[in-house]
Amino acid sequence: MFSFSERLKKLPPYLFVELDRLKAEAKARGVDVIDLGVGDPDLPTPAHIVKAAEEAVRKPENHHYPSSVGMLAFREAAAHWFEKRFGVKLNPETEVVTLIGSKEGIAHFPLAFVNPGDVVLVPTPAYPVYHIGTLFAGGETFYLPLRPENDFLPDLESIPKDVLSRAKIIWLNYPNNPTAAVATKDFFARVVSFARENKLIVAHDAAYTELYFDDYRPPSILEVEGAREVAIEFHSLSKTYCMTGWRIGFAVGNETLIAGLAKVKNNVDSGAFQAVQEAGIAALSGDQSCVEEFRKIFRERRDVVVEGLKSLGFELDPPRATFYVWARVPEGYSSAAFAAKLLQEAGIVVTPGHGFGEPGEGFFRVALTVDKNRLKEALARIAALKF
Ligand SMILES: *Cc1c(COP(=O)(O)O)cnc(C)c1O
């Protein structure tokens, strides 16, 4: 009797149907499946953050509708954290908005600035929400392939003039999911000047800036001169503080861009539960040694996987940030065939690269979201396979 809207019908097909079926089948056979597919940290939220939430839940003043832009105290904590981390001062009243997880903001943002027929420049392979938000706003996605020969950065020069003249937003995501690539401040500066020349909004998804390794520190695009005129940046507490289930993040940047997003939020949701925002304040303003500890854990896991895969002859660049390893499948395999083989013959789930977009074909993604010993077990199982 009812049929889905055209926008739902246009959603990209779910590419992991077959993999999910194989996973369920393996589990039903009693296989001890090692799931390296999900981008959700296995570690619990630090105790001091949970405690702040427990106390905040009990306060009657938190039991009412919050402000849709977020508590000023949360936005101040975010601005303070941002200045300490990136050296950029923000006005918490006009340049910060609280989000119900950064995905919420990323999905809603195009509704504020994209008209039907406008083009949005979206990297591929990528997190699917940039395209889906565009689709929901009635925009057209023009894909910018991220290729290894360009260090997984988009080639701005390759965008046709007629596309560029209709383009409203360019999406970026560094440190990158799924490729684990990073971008320099120089690259961000090039994008900012390109955006200013072409009257484009730069929307940067910065979900992984705190999951860095060794002496590398991912920059914010707002560190670049002139970025405040064209850029909005999406931050998340999900990966940094192992808080994926809490749904808390924030966007920072250009006042008009923040105001547009706030206007959408004001008319769609009524903001994040204040107790969750109080937990967020505890996370952003509290002792950061928990983040240091998470980085240490992910670095050890990265080393196990990078060294293990390399010793088995896999081709990959060791990631400098994120909790993913992006590696080439062995010769003679497609991403799908390789992922199916790992699952059927070794009980290991990895994400086939083409699932994030066609240029991801030939790669697979390993999420470092199980402990070191399970990763070692996974590598031992892979070592026993023949390719
Ligand atoms: C995990 C992730 C997010 C969003 O996380 P939230 O939990 O919604 O804050 C955004 N972008 C990328 C690339 C991610 O991997």
Side-chain angles (χ1 to χ4, degrees):
M1 185 156 79
F2 303 112
S3 68
F4 289 145
S5 66
E6 293 309 312
R7 76 177 63 79
L8 282 201
K9 287 184 194 157
K10 275 193 222 155
L11 283 176
Y14 181 66
L15 280 164
F16 304 125
V17 181
E18 177 63 7
L19 205 60
D20 283 354
R21 191 182 63 79
L22 293 174
K23 185 164 125 185
E25 220 175 73
K27 281 187 171 158
R29 282 202 315 268
V31 176
D32 170 27
V33 172
I34 304 179
D35 195 342
L36 309 179
V38 282
D40 186 351
D42 55 318
L43 307 159
T45 305
H48 71 282
I49 300 174
V50 175
K51 185 157 170 284
E54 280 170 354
E55 285 163 12
V57 162
R58 289 192 196 98
K59 293 185 202 162
E61 65 265 35
N62 288 340
H63 298 171
H64 301 281
Y65 282 120
S67 144
S68 57
V69 293
M71 298 161 78
L72 184 58
F74 178 86
R75 288 178 286 147
E76 282 170 347
H80 189 75
W81 174 87
F82 198 87
E83 184 176 2
K84 234 166 103 181
R85 171 65 174 83
F86 299 110
V88 176
K89 218 175 159 68
L90 298 165
N91 180 341
E93 306 217 32
T94 56
E95 294 179 311
V96 184
V97 60
T98 308
L99 300 174
I100 307 172
S102 63
K103 181 181 190 174
E104 178 262 300
I106 292 167
H108 279 149
F109 182 64
L111 288 176
F113 293 97
V114 173
N115 288 312
D118 286 347
V119 168
V120 176
L121 305 169
V122 172
T124 179
Y127 186 60
V129 187
Y130 318 131
H131 166 62
I132 290 166
T134 302
L135 194 67
F136 282 2
E140 286 173 27
T141 294
F142 182 85
Y143 283 111
L144 304 177
L146 306 182
R147 302 195 189 281
E149 58 270 29
N150 296 328
D151 302 319
F152 300 107
L153 300 171
D155 177 7
L156 304 175
E157 303 311 312
S158 73
I159 307 167
K161 285 277 169 293
D162 60 314
V163 169
L164 200 49
S165 65
R166 293 194 293 133
K168 278 283 169 67
I169 302 176
I170 180 169
W171 280 100
L172 299 175
N173 165 223
Y174 296 99
N176 185 258
N177 175 16
T179 68
V182 297
T184 60
K185 234 164 95 173
D186 272 359
F187 171 75
F188 285 151
R190 262 186 287 142
V191 177
V192 166
S193 85
F194 181 80
R196 294 172 61 145
E197 271 163 38
N198 294 289
K199 299 192 170 53
L200 278 176
I201 295 164
V202 184
H204 181 225
D205 177 358
Y208 293 96
T209 57
E210 304 318 296
L211 283 181
Y212 51 74
F213 305 121
D214 312 315
D215 55 3
Y216 176 67
R217 296 290 174 279
S220 158
I221 197 163
L222 295 184
E223 291 176 45
V224 168
E225 211 180 294
R228 247 201 184 84
E229 279 147 57
V230 292
I232 182 166
E233 189 167 75
F234 294 85
H235 286 265
S236 172
L237 279 70
S238 288
K239 315 293 164 54
T240 308
Y241 300 101
C242 295
M243 290 179 79
T244 50
W246 297 69
R247 314 313 302 132
I248 183 81
F250 58 94
V252 296
N254 176 272
E255 274 185 24
T256 309
L257 301 181
I258 294 293
L261 178 54
K263 209 168 178 122
V264 174
K265 288 179 58 57
N266 197 18
N267 288 283
V268 175
D269 59 65
S270 296
F273 181 24
Q274 292 199 162
V276 172
Q277 295 188 63
E278 288 203 32
I281 294 170
L284 292 167
S285 326
D287 185 357
Q288 300 298 300
S289 57
C290 56
V291 187
E292 195 50 54
E293 186 58 30
F294 292 147
R295 281 191 282 262
K296 199 173 134 233
I297 291 167
F298 287 118
R299 192 188 61 227
E300 281 176 7
R301 295 176 180 181
R302 173 201 67 168
D303 291 345
V304 166
V305 170
V306 166
E307 281 155 32
L309 286 178
K310 276 191 158 174
S311 76
L312 296 173
F314 285 88
E315 219 183 294
L316 59 93
D317 290 323
R320 300 170 75 187
T322 76
F323 49 50
Y324 304 111
V325 174
W326 182 248
R328 283 193 193 267
V329 299
E331 228 176 283
Y333 286 86
S334 66
S335 292
F338 178 72
K341 182 182 170 86
L342 282 196
L343 186 47
Q344 283 175 308
E345 296 178 23
I348 297 166
V349 178
V350 296
T351 312
H354 74 293
F356 299 101
E358 185 277 323
E361 178 53 50
F363 290 88
F364 65 103
R365 190 193 75 175
V366 174
L368 303 171
T369 47
V370 303
D371 76 31
K372 208 166 59 176
N373 291 329
R374 289 291 275 171
L375 290 170
K376 285 182 180 163
E377 161 74 19
L379 286 157
R381 292 190 199 174
I382 298 173
L385 297 179
K386 280 201 181 62
F387 296 110

